[in-house]
Amino acid sequence: MLRGLIMYELLIVILVGIDQITKYVSQNMLQENSSISIIEGIFDLTYVENRGAAFGLFQNKQFIFVAIAILVTIVGIGYIHKVKNNKLSKISIAMIISGAIGNLIDRIRLGYVIDFFDFKFIWSYVFNFADVLVVLGTILLCICMFFEEKKNSLNGGK
């Protein structure tokens, strides 16, 4: 039981580590060059210092983001430890926590979040690995909740 719970904390540490390494590499490779085209007109690595939230919203409101990230982390860890759920929903929560912590580290350390994934053919927003974790973790959690609800309704609401 305890080993299973530590697995989620280890997953969080690994994912935060990947996020921080990718941001470090992008900052050192891209800061001077600003952007490197990987697939012409489709995908670039573009260095951006994001002082807001997703899509550049709420610029320079770092306190709000720090508070939300801390709250998400505390509630998420509590959820992983207390709720008897399937592993997939706990992994999705760990992904969301990892993304929140990854961007929290940047906000505290730098005062901004380093973004670098730039899919030009989709939209004009640049994002990072932590953002991917939050979005994919949220989608995965919604899918888990949908199927859990479906299972409960088939079992008579139990």
Side-chain angles (χ1 to χ4, degrees):
M1 175 82 169
L2 182 61
R3 193 178 110 208
L5 293 176
I6 292 173
M7 177 183 80
Y8 298 106
E9 278 83 359
L10 181 59
L11 176 61
I12 292 167
V13 168
I14 290 168
L15 292 174
V16 169
I18 292 169
D19 174 66
Q20 291 300 298
I21 289 168
T22 59
K23 288 173 179 174
Y24 176 81
V25 169
S26 71
Q27 185 177 36
N28 287 317
M29 285 180 54
L30 298 172
Q31 197 164 18
E32 290 179 23
N33 299 330
S34 182
S35 187
I36 297 172
S37 181
I38 304 299
I39 302 172
E40 189 65 38
I42 296 175
F43 177 64
D44 290 358
L45 295 176
T46 303
Y47 180 82
V48 173
E49 294 177 356
N50 184 354
R51 288 170 169 71
F55 313 118
L57 299 172
F58 305 109
Q59 291 291 315
N60 298 311
K61 306 284 189 222
Q62 298 301 329
F63 175 77
I64 294 169
F65 304 123
V66 169
I68 290 170
I70 291 170
L71 181 65
V72 164
T73 301
I74 292 168
V75 170
I77 294 287
Y79 179 88
I80 287 172
H81 285 274
K82 300 247 188 266
V83 175
K84 304 265 188 245
N85 253 2
N86 67 35
K87 289 181 182 179
L88 202 52
S89 66
K90 290 183 179 187
I91 289 170
S92 66
I93 295 289
M95 291 170 67
I96 295 167
I97 292 168
S98 300
I101 292 172
N103 284 339
L104 175 64
I105 291 169
D106 284 11
R107 290 183 195 288
I108 291 171
R109 186 173 67 89
L110 303 169
Y112 55 85
V113 173
I114 297 171
D115 290 333
F116 53 91
F117 291 134
D118 188 0
F119 285 91
K120 295 187 173 295
F121 75 100
I122 298 174
W123 58 59
S124 61
Y125 301 106
V126 182
F127 56 97
N128 61 46
F129 184 71
D131 298 335
V132 171
L133 290 172
V134 170
V135 170
L136 291 181
T138 302
I139 291 169
L140 184 59
L141 183 60
C142 289
I143 292 168
C144 290
M145 290 170 63
F146 173 78
F147 283 108
E148 186 67 27
E149 181 66 33
K150 195 109 166 127
K151 185 175 97 175
N152 286 343
S153 68
L154 291 173
N155 291 334
K158 295 180 183 178

